[in-house]
Amino acid sequence: MRNIYTLFGFLLLIAACSPKTTPSSSNYQEDLSVYRPDYVQLKAEQKANREKEEVRKQTTTSTTFPVTNDITTGVENQLAHFAEANAGSNATKYTIQVYSGTSREEANEIKERVYEDFPSGNPKVTYKQPTYRVRVGDFYNRVDAYLTYEKLRRSFRRAIVVPYKVQLGEKKTEGADY
């Protein structure tokens, strides 16, 4: 009995693994031409678009007009007006102080060291009794001052960023204290 079940199971397995065949009809037809692009029609549309673009380019004329008005005097007048309006106000500028002390020789030595390391910094020694100061740079915003400060801080541990006020409309004299 066991052999019959084994034989039956084996036949069932073979039947399950056999390829499935479906009846086919030889008169099946499917029309896929509706899904194919019509290249003749596409070429005709592209040609029509090119012709329209050429007509549009021909109808729009590019006319150039000579410049007859010079705005330089107007701009200069506006700048003069702004300078006059802001003449009494103050602006904040920034510099980096790398030395502050009473020794003139030490201030000059540090100025030379700064000039060797950062020649574009334009170091200056100023004196306001009884203190000598070595200051580097002249910055209009704090971000630029801090970028240079980070470079100077590596060589000069006591460096600080110093804000100072500048009166607008006046020229700063050389050697004046910050």
Side-chain angles (χ1 to χ4, degrees), residues 27-36:
N27 59 358
Y28 174 75
Q29 292 182 354
E30 187 174 354
D31 184 20
L32 298 175
S33 64
V34 293
Y35 299 111
R36 290 188 199 126

Side-chain angles (χ1 to χ4, degrees), residues 20 73 106 171:
K20 305 279 191 260
T73 56
E106 192 173 351
K171 289 190 176 184

Side-chain angles (χ1 to χ4, degrees), residues 67-82:
V67 178
T68 57
N69 294 335
D70 187 19
I71 63 167
T72 306
T73 56
V75 171
E76 287 174 354
N77 289 339
Q78 287 294 320
L79 289 174
H81 172 71
F82 290 142

Side-chain angles (χ1 to χ4, degrees), residues 118-131:
F118 304 99
S120 63
N122 193 17
K124 294 180 183 174
V125 176
T126 58
Y127 177 72
K128 188 172 183 182
Q129 195 173 12
T131 307

